[in-house]
Amino acid sequence: MSFYFAFLILFVMVSFFLFFSRPHFGDQMGDKRKKFLIAYFLAAGADWLQGPYIYALYETYGLPKSDIALLFISSYMSSIIFGTFIASLADKYGRKRLCVLYGLLYACACLATLINSFDALLLGRVLTGISTSILHTTFEAWMVHEHLKQPNHYESVGQTISLAVFGNAIVAILAGSLSSYAAQSYGFTAPFITSFLALLCCVYFVTVSFNENYGDSEVKVQNIFINALSEIKKDQRLPLIGLPQSLFEAAMYTFVFMWTPLLQENAGEGQDVPFTLIFMCFMFCQVIGSFLYLHLVRRTTAENIARWVYIISSFSLFIPFFFQNTPLLLLSFFTFEICCGVYFPCIATIKSKYIPEHTRVAVMSFLRIPQNVLIVFILMKVTSFENSTIFLICFIWLGLAALLQNQLEKGGHHYHSTLSSPT
């Protein structure tokens, strides 16, 4: 009963925010914003379509758990080894081109997943890792470049990502329903075929709608990576952005792995847990967080908001280490998801301020490496720790993120606010 009561409360809260919290976005980025959001929803929706059934499909292929774990780890390793460098090419060859490449590579990954061969599945996971790196850097970089042409662009970036979080939550619910119908009607391969079609739509839309933009199209390929590492070394604020981001997002992805087994363990053997309903509650929480950010940023800086997001989220994931009460667990999980809704527009705003435009994607890609390393660590050690211990690790990561964010706030606020090329 507590699950359904929680869903009702969150539904009322979201309705309140939608009807009584109408932030003004202005129209200076209207056309560009719409293009970005449509492309992003297609790209993210294709990802959501696959998520619920990837493990189940591997099981139907008869793969042992050790091989399945290896496939998941290979995706994150691919993101570290290949994704970092391929995504970085967007600064020279164009963000639009890399967004198209995302759709093509991920579509190939979907096709590889349909083949019951470990080698084909491994190739699919490698391509998935590369695609994920592009998704989480290049789309945002294209959007930020277009915003930098406008006045008040930092505020506008946060508004756009807030809308992206809101829409992504709706897309996740719709994609989950569609993939569930497809899997039940046509088997576990059907969600991947559906995702393949969504990716082709994404490729087409980006091709006809995006204009091309660059970081520095004249730079030599080898200098893309050298320049990015040089910027990270030269500007100490960049690691103070990237490390908290990696710690938070590693905790977030770990939470994605762990919330279902923890609730099932707490409910007891044979007890049904309404996971679909809880997932919908999580998405509603992110909607609340995205709107909450728009109100908070009017009163304080994104840097200060991020610090409190890290603090509150750390304590929300500390609760499962001590308490196994289901309503209290749900409260802590919902609080964390609200923090996620605040986090994404907040971190996008911060990155748009501090990361230099000429090497934006490359820097963003390198800053994501610690996140993938931490996730690989958890995946390799997950069977060695109790569920509650993993949440304690997440609490420590988020506490460190808050401390690092506090150092960023002390470091001053000189921003990279122009589109000029490096000197």
Side-chain angles (χ1 to χ4, degrees), residues 78-312:
S78 171
S79 187
I80 295 170
I81 299 170
F82 304 117
T84 299
F85 298 99
I86 292 176
S88 299
L89 297 175
D91 289 323
K92 176 176 174 61
Y93 294 108
R95 282 79 182 264
K96 173 184 175 178
R97 286 191 180 92
L98 265 291
C99 289
V100 170
L101 183 63
Y102 160 81
L104 296 176
L105 289 178
Y106 212 180
C108 291
C110 290
L111 295 179
T113 306
L114 303 179
I115 303 173
N116 187 1
S117 160
F118 184 82
D119 291 340
L121 297 175
L122 182 60
L123 174 62
R125 295 310 296 174
V126 169
L127 294 176
T128 297
I130 298 170
S131 303
T132 301
S133 293
I134 298 173
L135 174 63
H136 292 299
T137 55
T138 309
F139 281 84
E140 181 181 323
W142 182 90
M143 177 271 297
V144 170
H145 181 99
E146 297 304 316
H147 281 67
L148 289 177
K149 301 174 183 177
Q150 305 295 332
N152 302 319
H153 43 261
Y154 300 139
E155 178 183 354
S156 186
V157 167
Q159 292 172 349
T160 298
I161 297 298
S162 179
L163 288 173
V165 173
F166 167 76
N168 187 48
I170 305 302
V171 168
I173 294 171
L174 295 176
S177 301
L178 178 59
S179 64
S180 176
Y181 171 79
Q184 292 176 9
S185 301
Y186 304 104
F188 288 146
T189 58
F192 298 89
I193 298 173
T194 308
S195 178
F196 173 82
L197 297 175
L199 288 163
L200 293 185
C201 291
C202 178
V203 168
Y204 174 77
F205 184 81
V206 170
T207 301
V208 301
S209 300
F210 277 27
N211 59 287
E212 189 59 275
N213 65 48
Y214 304 85
D216 181 3
S217 60
E218 303 299 323
V219 68
K220 295 180 179 179
V221 171
Q222 63 269 26
N223 288 339
I224 297 173
F225 317 113
I226 295 172
N227 291 346
L229 293 172
S230 177
E231 289 288 346
I232 294 171
K233 182 180 179 181
K234 179 176 66 176
D235 189 347
Q236 295 182 355
R237 295 169 305 177
L238 295 181
L240 292 176
I241 295 169
L243 289 175
Q245 172 188 288
S246 289
L247 290 164
F248 183 91
E249 295 188 20
M252 180 184 69
Y253 284 111
T254 302
F255 172 80
V256 170
F257 302 143
M258 298 306 304
W259 72 268
T260 50
L262 184 66
L263 287 179
Q264 187 63 70
E265 177 186 278
N266 190 57
E269 196 71 29
Q271 296 295 316
D272 289 331
V273 179
F275 292 123
T276 301
L277 185 62
I278 296 171
F279 175 76
M280 292 175 68
C281 288
F282 289 168
M283 295 301 101
F284 282 144
C285 286
Q286 290 202 16
V287 170
I288 292 171
S290 70
F291 277 89
L292 182 60
Y293 169 80
L294 293 175
H295 289 277
L296 292 173
V297 79
R298 296 174 185 172
R299 296 166 174 80
T300 186
T301 65
E303 290 83 357
N304 187 45
I305 295 171
R307 180 163 58 92
W308 283 104
V309 164
Y310 298 144
I311 291 171
I312 295 170

